[in-house]
C-alpha cells in the first residue's frame, strides 16, 4: 500500500510538471515573433531610420488569449512578455539619434506586423529547450531522490520531510533571486522560458508533496492541519504567479482544487470546503484582473463548478444547499465586479454587429465557463427537490437569477443571459417531471400512495424567477438600449418570454384549470408592466429612428400580449378562452388609434394563430359531449365564427396599412379562418354532430372541394379589386389543393364506382350532382375568371379538372340509369349501357366544341377533341367486340355521322379570312 501511494505522488508530480511545460510552450510562438520585430526595430535604430511610432507606442506583446486580442484594438502588455523595447530600456524611453539622422528625411512607417515565416533555431536550442528540459529533470531528480531515500532507509521520515520542505523553499527563493538580480533583461525577453517560474513551480510542487506525505503516509499532522498548509501553499503559488506568469497561477489553482480531494476526513464540512474554494477563486480572479488573464479564470470556473456539481449530485439526502449556492453566487458576482468587471467593457470598445460577434463576445472563455458551471448544479438541485424540499428549489432559482443578473449588468455577458434563461426553462420542466413521477399512485400495502395536494412553494418560486427576468431586462434596456442594440433585442425578448413560459408551464403542471387566480393575476400584472415598459421605450425612441426599427420596444409589446394571453388561459376555459383571445388581439389593433406602435396589428395576427392552435388541440372547443347535433346553430358557430369575423374586420381595417407585410398576413389569416369555419360547420352537419371518428364520404369531401375551389375564386376576385400577393398566390394554392383532392379522392378513392357508396334515390339531385357536376361547374367558373389573369398552365389545370369532373358525372349518371342507385363495379356492364356511353361522350364532345368556339377557348376545344378521341377508341375497341346486331351498327353509324359533322364544322366555321384553316384550332390538327 505504501508503494502504491509513492507511485501516486510520482504520477501527480509528473503531471504538474508537464502542465507547467505545456503552458510555457503555448506562448513561445508569439514571443518569437515579438523578438524578431524588436530586433528589426533595433537594427533600424542603429542605422538611423527608426520609425517614429517605435518611441511612443510600445507594441502589445504576450496577450495570452485570442478573445482579448479580438476585443481590444490596443491592450496593455502582459506580464509574461517584454513591456519595453530593448533600445527603450537602454535610453530611458528616448531614441538617441545623430545629427545626420536628424537631418535625414523621415522614413516611411513600417508595414503591419506579420508573423515570421521561420523560427530562430538558436533561440530554441540555447534559450528555451534547456529551461523546459531542466524543469522536467529537476522534478524527476527530486522524485527519484525521495524514492531512493525511502527505499534505502538512509534518513528518517521526519528528516526527509524537513529536507524536502527546505528544498522547496530553496527552489522558490532561487526563482525569486534569478528574477530580481541574475538576469532581469533575459527574463523579460525569454518570458516564455520562465526560468524563475520553473524554479518556483518546482518548489511549490515539492512543498505540496511534503505536506501531503506528512499527512497521508506518516501521520505527522492531522487532516485539518494538512488542509490548511496545502491551501496556504496553493494560495501562495497563486500570489507568486503575479511575478512568474499565468502557468504558475494554474499550478496553484490545481493544487487548491486537488487539496480537498487528497485531504479528507470521515465527517466532511461543506461550509469549510466551499469557503476555501471561494477564497481560492477570488485569489485567482484578483491575480487575473491585475495581469489580464483569461485562461486561468476559465480553469478556475470549471474546477470550482465541478466541485459544486459533485456535491449537488453525490451528497446524501438532507444535504445543505446553502454553502454551494453562496459559493456560486460569489463566483458570478466576482465575474461581474472583479474580473472581467466593468473595466473590461471600456477596454474592448463598442460591440461589433452580427450574430456571430454577439455570441463570440470576449472574454468568451470566462463567460461561457461560469455560465455552464453555475447552471449545472442549479439544475441538479431542481432534480432533487422531491426528496430535499423547497429549499433546494430556492437555491437553484437563486443561482439562475444571479446568473441572469450578471447578463443584465455587463454587455459582454451574452452567454450567462442565454444559459440562465435556458436553465430557468429546464428547471421548471425538471420540477414538473419530478413531481409527476412522485405523484403517480404507487401501491403501498395494497393502497395507492397519496399525491401531494399543494405546490404553493414551486409556483411562487418559478413565478418570482420569471418576474426577476422582467426586472433585469428593464434594467438592461434602461442602461444599454442605445449603446448595444443587438443585446437589447435579446433582453427585450427574454424579459417577456421567460416569465410567460414559466407561467404557462407552472399553470399546466401545478395550476387549477378551471380558474387559477394566482397565475391569472400574475399574467395580468405582468402584461400591464410590459405595456408600461413599451410606452416608456417608445417615448425614448430617437427622433431619427423609425419606430418600426425599434425592435426592443416592439418586442416588449409582444411580451405584454403573451402575458395577457396567459391571464386569459388561467382565468377562463374552453370556448370562452378562444373567443377572448381573438377579442384581445382585436383590442390591440384598435389601440392603434391611441398609440401608433408598429407591433400592435401583429398581435391580432398572433391571436388568430393562437386560436388556430386551440382549434387544433380541441376542435369542438367545449367537448364532444357538450357540442350538440344541431346543424350550424351550435357552439361551433360562435366559437369559430366570432374569431373569423374579427379576423375579417381586422383585414379590412388594415387594407390601407403602410406595412404591407401585416396587411398581407392578416388577409391570408382571415381567408383561411373563413374557410376553416365553413368546413368545420359543414363537417359537423354532415356527420350527425360529430367532428371525428367516422368514415369519410364523397358528399363530405365534395363540400370541402366546393369550399376550396370557391375560396380560390373569392381570393381571385379580391385580388382584382385590391391587388395583393397573398390573394394572388393564395388563390392558386387553393386551386392546386382542390385539384389534388379531385384527382385523388373524387376520381379514385371515394368514387361510388369503386367504393360502392349509395348515390341516393332521387334521379337528378343525388350524390353524383354534389360530387361531380357542381364541382365541375365551379371549376369552369373559376377557370373562366382566371383567363388572362393567371398563368396559362394554371388555367389549363382548372379547365381539365372541370372537364374530368363533368365527364365522370355524365358517365356515372349513365351507369346509374342502367344499374340503379348502387353503381359498384362488381355489377358488370350491359349492352344498352355500353352503347349509351358512346352516345353521351360524343354529345358532350360536340357541346364542348361549340362552347369553345363561341368563347374562343382553346382549352375547351382541346378537351372536345380529347373526348371525341376517347369515344372513337371506345367504339372501335369496346363496341366492336361487345355489341351485337343493331346496336353495333348504330354505334358505328352514329360515330361516323358525328365525325363528319365535326369536320364540316371546322371547314365552314373555323376558316381564316384568307381561306386557310386556323393553325391553332383543333380541326387543323385533327
Amino acid at each position: 500500500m505504501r508503494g502504491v501511494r509513492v507511485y501516486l505522488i510520482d504520477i501527480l508530480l509528473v503531471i504538474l510538471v508537464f502542465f507547467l511545460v505545456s503552458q510555457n510552450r503555448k506562448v513561445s510562438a508569439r514571443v518569437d515573433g515579438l523578438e524578431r520585430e524588436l530586433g528589426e526595430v533595433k537594427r533600424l535604430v542603429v542605422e538611423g531610420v527608426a520609425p517614429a511610432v517605435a518611441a511612443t507606442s510600445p507594441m502589445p506583446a504576450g496577450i495570452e488569449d485570442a478573445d482579448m486580442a479580438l476585443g481590444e484594438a490596443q491592450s496593455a502588455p502582459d506580464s509574461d512578455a517584454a513591456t519595453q523595447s530593448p533600445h527603450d530600456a537602454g535610453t530611458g524611453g528616448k531614441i538617441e539619434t545623430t545629427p545626420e539622422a536628424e537631418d535625414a528625411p523621415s522614413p516611411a512607417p513600417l508595414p503591419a506586423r506579420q508573423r515570421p515565416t521561420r523560427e530562430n533555431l538558436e533561440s530554441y536550442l540555447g534559450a528555451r529547450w534547456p529551461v523546459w528540459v531542466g524543469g522536467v529533470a529537476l522534478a524527476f531528480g527530486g522524485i527519484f531522490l525521495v524514492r531512493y531515500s525511502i527505499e534505502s532507509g538512509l534518513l528518517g521520515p521526519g528528516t526527509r520531510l524537513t529536507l524536502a520542505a527546505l528544498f522547496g523553499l530553496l527552489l522558490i527563493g532561487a526563482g525569486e533571486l534569478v528574477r530580481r538580480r541574475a538576469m532581469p533583461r533575459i527574463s523579460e525577453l525569454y518570458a516564455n522560458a520562465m526560468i524563475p517560474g520553473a524554479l518556483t513551480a518546482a518548489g511549490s510542487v515539492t512543498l505540496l508533496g511534503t505536506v501531503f506525505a506528512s499527512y497521508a503516509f506518516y501521520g505527522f499532522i492531522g487532516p485539518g492541519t494538512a488542509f490548511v498548509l496545502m491551501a496556504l501553499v496553493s494560495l501562495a503559488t497563486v500570489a507568486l504567479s503575479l511575478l512568474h506568469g499565468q502557468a504558475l497561477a494554474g499550478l496553484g489553482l490545481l493544487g487548491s482544487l486537488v487539496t480537498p480531494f487528497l485531504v479528507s476526513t470521515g465527517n466532511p464540512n461543506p461550509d469549510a470546503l466551499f469557503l476555501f474554494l471561494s477564497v481560492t477563486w477570488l485569489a485567482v480572479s484578483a491575480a487575473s484582473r491585475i495581469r489580464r488573464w483569461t485562461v486561468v479564470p476559465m480553469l478556475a470556473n470549471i474546477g470550482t463548478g465541478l466541485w459544486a456539481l459533485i456535491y449537488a449530485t453525490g451528497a446524501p439526502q438532507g444535504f445543505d444547499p446553502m454553502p454551494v449556492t453562496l459559493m456560486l453566487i460569489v463566483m458570478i458576482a466576482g465575474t461581474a465586479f472583479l474580473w472581467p468587471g466593468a473595466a473590461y467593457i471600456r477596454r474592448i470598445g463598442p460591440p461589433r454587429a452580427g450574430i456571430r460577434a454577439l455570441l463570440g463576445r470576449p472574454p468568451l472563455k470566462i463567460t461561457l465557463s461560469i455560465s455552464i458551471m453555475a447552471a449545472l448544479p442549479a439544475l441538479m438541485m431542481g432534480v432533487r427537490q422531491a426528496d430535499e424540499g423547497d429549499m433546494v428549489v430556492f437555491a437553484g432559482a437563486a443561482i439562475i437569477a444571479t446568473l441572469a443578473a450578471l447578463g443584465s449588468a455587463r454587455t459582454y455577458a451574452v452567454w450567462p443571459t442565454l444559459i440562465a434563461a435556458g436553465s430557468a426553462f429546464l428547471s421548471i420542466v425538471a420540477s414538473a417531471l419530478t413531481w409527476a413521477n412522485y405523484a403517480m399512485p404507487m401501491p403501498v400495502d395494497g393502497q395507492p400512495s397519496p399525491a401531494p395536494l399543494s405546490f404553493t412553494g414551486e409556483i411562487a418560486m418559478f413565478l418570482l424567477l420569471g418576474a426577476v427576468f422582467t426586472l433585469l431586462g428593464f434594467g438592461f434596456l434602461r442602461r444599454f438600449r442605445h449603446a448595444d442594440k443587438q443585446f437589447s433585442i435579446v433582453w427585450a425578448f427574454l424579459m417577456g418570454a421567460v416569465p410567460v413560459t414559466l407561467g404557462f408551464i407552472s399553470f399546466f403542471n401545478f395550476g387549477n384549470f378551471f380558474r387559477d387566480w394566482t397565475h391569472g393575476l400574475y399574467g395580468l400584472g405582468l402584461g400591464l408592466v410590459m405595456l408600461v415598459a413599451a410606452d416608456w421605450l417608445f417615448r425614448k425612441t430617437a427622433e431619427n429612428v423609425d419606430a418600426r426599427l425599434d425592435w426592443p420596444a416592439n418586442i416588449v409589446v409582444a411580451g405584454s400580449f403573451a402575458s395577457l394571453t396567459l391571464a386569459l388561459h388561467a382565468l377562463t376555459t374552453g370556448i370562452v378562452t378562444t373567443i377572448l383571445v381573438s377579442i384581445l388581439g382585436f383590442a390591440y389593433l384598435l389601440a392603434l388609434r391611441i398609440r401608433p406602435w408598429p407591433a400592435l396589428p401583429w398581435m391580432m395576427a398572433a391571436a388568430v394563430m393562437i386560436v388556430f392552435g386551440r382549434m387544433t388541440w380541441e376542435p369542438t372547443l367545449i367537448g364532444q359531449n357538450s357540442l350538440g347535433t344541431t346543424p350550424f346553430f351550435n357552439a361551433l358557430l360562435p366559437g369559430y365564427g366570432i374569431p373569423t369575423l374579427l379576423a375579417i374586420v381586422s383585414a379590412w381595417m388594415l387594407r390601407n396599412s403602410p406595412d404591407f407585410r401585416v396587411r398581407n398576413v392578416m388577409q391570408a389569416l382571415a381567408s383561411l379562418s373563413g374557410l376553416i369555419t365553413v368546413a368545420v360547420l359543414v363537417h359537423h352537419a354532415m356527420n350527425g354532430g360529430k367532428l371525428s371518428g367516422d368514415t369519410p364520404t364523397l358528399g363530405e369531401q365534395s363540400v370541402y372541394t366546393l369550399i376550396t375551389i370557391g375560396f380560390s375564386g373569392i381570393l381571385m376576385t379580391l385580388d382584382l379589386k385590391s391587388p395583393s400577393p397573398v390573394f394572388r398566390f393564395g388563390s392558386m394554392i387553393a386551386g392546386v389543393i382542390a385539384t389534388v383532392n379531385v384527382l385523388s379522392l373524387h376520381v379514385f378513392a371515394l368514387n361510388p364506382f369503386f367504393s360502392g357508396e349509395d348515390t341516393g334515390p332521387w334521379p337528378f339531385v343525388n350524390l353524383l350532382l354534389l360530387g361531380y357536376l357542381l364541382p365541375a361547374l365551379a371549376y369552369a367558373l373559376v377557370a373562366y375568371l382566371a383567363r388572362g389573369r393567371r398563368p396559362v398552365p394554371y388555367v389549363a389545370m382548372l379547365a381539365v379538372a372541370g372537364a374530368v369532373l363533368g365527364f365522370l358525372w355524365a358517365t356515372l349518371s349513365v351507369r346509374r340509369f342502367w344499374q340503379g342507385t348502387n353503381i359498384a363495379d362488381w355489377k358488370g356492364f350491359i349492352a344498352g349501357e355500353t352503347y349509351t356511353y358512346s352516345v353521351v361522350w360524343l354529345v358532350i364532345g360536340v357541346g364542348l366544341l361549340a362552347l369553345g368556339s363561341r368563347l374562343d377557348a382553346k382549352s375547351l376545344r382541346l378537351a372536345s377533341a380529347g373526348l371525341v378521341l376517347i369515344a372513337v377508341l371506345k367504339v372501335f375497341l369496346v363496341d366492336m367486340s361487345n355489341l351485337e346486331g343493331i346496336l353495333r351498327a348504330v354505334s358505328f353509324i352514329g360515330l361516323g355521322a358525328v365525325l363528319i359533322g365535326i369536320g364540316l364544322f371546322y371547314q365552314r366555321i373555323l376558316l381564316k379570312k384568307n381561306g386557310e384553316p386556323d393553325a391553332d384550332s383543333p380541326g387543323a390538327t385533327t
Side-chain angles (χ1 to χ4, degrees), residues 306-567:
L306 286 176
W307 269 109
L309 183 61
I310 292 172
Y311 178 73
T313 304
Q317 184 175 354
F319 78 105
D320 184 8
M322 297 312 297
V324 64
T325 301
L326 293 176
M327 183 198 70
L328 292 174
I329 291 177
V330 167
M331 292 171 56
I332 298 171
T335 304
F337 299 104
L338 183 59
W339 177 247
Y344 189 86
I345 302 176
R346 294 190 293 269
R347 290 212 321 276
I348 63 176
R352 294 181 297 169
I355 185 64
R356 295 182 62 182
L358 177 67
L359 297 178
R361 287 187 179 181
L364 182 61
K365 292 184 178 68
I366 297 178
T367 56
L368 193 57
S369 60
I370 188 66
S371 304
I372 296 175
M373 302 316 299
L376 290 178
L379 294 177
M380 186 54 61
M381 292 179 187
V383 173
R384 300 188 58 170
Q385 65 166 323
D387 299 325
E388 304 295 342
D390 294 341
M391 182 57 68
V392 293
V393 182
F394 172 78
I399 297 171
I400 295 173
T402 308
L403 191 61
L406 170 61
S408 175
R410 299 292 178 256
T411 56
Y412 57 75
V414 177
W415 281 108
T417 301
L418 298 177
I419 293 180
S423 300
F425 170 77
L426 294 177
S427 179
I428 191 172
V429 170
S431 177
L433 293 177
T434 300
W435 280 118
N437 295 330
Y438 182 80
M440 291 181 64
M442 301 295 293
V444 178
D445 296 332
Q447 298 294 330
S449 60
L453 300 178
S454 176
F455 299 98
T456 304
E458 285 75 11
I459 293 174
M461 194 62 58
F462 289 118
L463 295 186
L464 180 62
L465 181 60
V468 167
F469 271 86
T470 301
L471 296 178
L472 292 176
F474 183 78
F476 184 91
L477 294 177
R478 183 173 178 271
R479 296 178 58 192
F480 306 112
R481 177 189 176 197
H482 298 293
D484 195 345
K485 297 180 179 179
Q486 285 186 309
F487 203 7
S488 296
I489 294 175
V490 174
W491 264 111
F493 173 76
L494 293 179
M495 67 184 293
V498 173
V500 171
T501 302
L502 296 183
F504 267 112
I505 297 177
S506 175
F507 170 67
F508 287 135
N509 287 278
F510 308 129
N512 184 356
F513 286 172
F514 296 98
R515 184 169 287 106
D516 193 317
W517 288 103
T518 300
H519 291 91
L521 295 178
Y522 174 78
L524 181 62
L526 184 64
L528 295 177
V529 169
M530 298 286 282
L531 283 175
V532 173
D535 185 69
W536 178 82
L537 290 172
F538 276 112
R539 291 179 184 275
K540 297 296 182 178
T541 301
E543 296 181 356
N544 58 343
V545 177
D546 188 355
R548 291 177 296 179
L549 302 179
D550 192 350
W551 285 100
N554 287 285
I555 292 175
V556 170
V557 174
S560 69
F561 173 79
S563 302
L564 295 177
T565 302
L566 169 63

Side-chain angles (χ1 to χ4, degrees), residues 208-253:
L208 288 173
T210 301
V211 174
F212 181 72
S214 300
Y215 158 71
F217 297 152
Y218 303 110
F220 288 162
I221 56 178
T225 304
F227 181 87
V228 172
L229 291 177
M230 294 183 72
L232 290 176
V233 172
S234 300
L235 293 176
T237 304
V238 173
L240 290 174
S241 67
L242 294 172
L243 303 175
H244 300 290
Q246 187 170 199
L248 190 62
L251 178 64
L253 171 66

Side-chain angles (χ1 to χ4, degrees), residues 227-315:
F227 181 87
V228 172
L229 291 177
M230 294 183 72
L232 290 176
V233 172
S234 300
L235 293 176
T237 304
V238 173
L240 290 174
S241 67
L242 294 172
L243 303 175
H244 300 290
Q246 187 170 199
L248 190 62
L251 178 64
L253 171 66
L254 181 61
S256 298
L257 296 175
V258 173
T259 294
F261 176 76
L262 296 178
V263 182
S264 61
T265 62
N267 186 22
N269 187 348
D271 296 333
L273 170 64
F274 291 110
L275 176 61
F276 165 69
L277 293 176
S278 299
V279 172
T280 300
W281 188 92
L282 290 172
V284 171
S285 296
S288 301
R289 175 186 175 91
I290 297 173
R291 303 303 301 272
R292 300 174 186 176
W293 293 329
T294 57
V295 175
V296 168
M298 176 193 68
L299 297 177
N301 293 336
I302 295 175
T304 311
L306 286 176
W307 269 109
L309 183 61
I310 292 172
Y311 178 73
T313 304

